[in-house]
Amino acid sequence: MDNEAIIRYKFYLCRNFLDKLFADNIITKTQKAKLESVIAKRLADV
């Protein structure tokens, strides 16, 4: 696997986790969007 595929898969897993937290009303839509942005930025740096 190349690095880009690994990064996309990690982001996919993180988004699924955030979707679950949002569905369970643990985080808000705004928090979810901010977290996705931070995660994408962090994964891009790796």
Side-chain angles (χ1 to χ4, degrees), residues 12-38:
Y12 167 79
L13 292 176
C14 290
R15 283 191 63 199
N16 282 349
F17 181 67
L18 292 176
D19 286 343
K20 172 91 171 103
L21 293 177
F22 178 67
D24 292 343
N25 293 320
I26 296 172
I27 61 173
T28 65
K29 189 173 188 175
T30 305
Q31 289 172 320
K32 181 179 177 253
K34 285 182 183 178
L35 287 169
E36 284 179 353
S37 174
V38 169

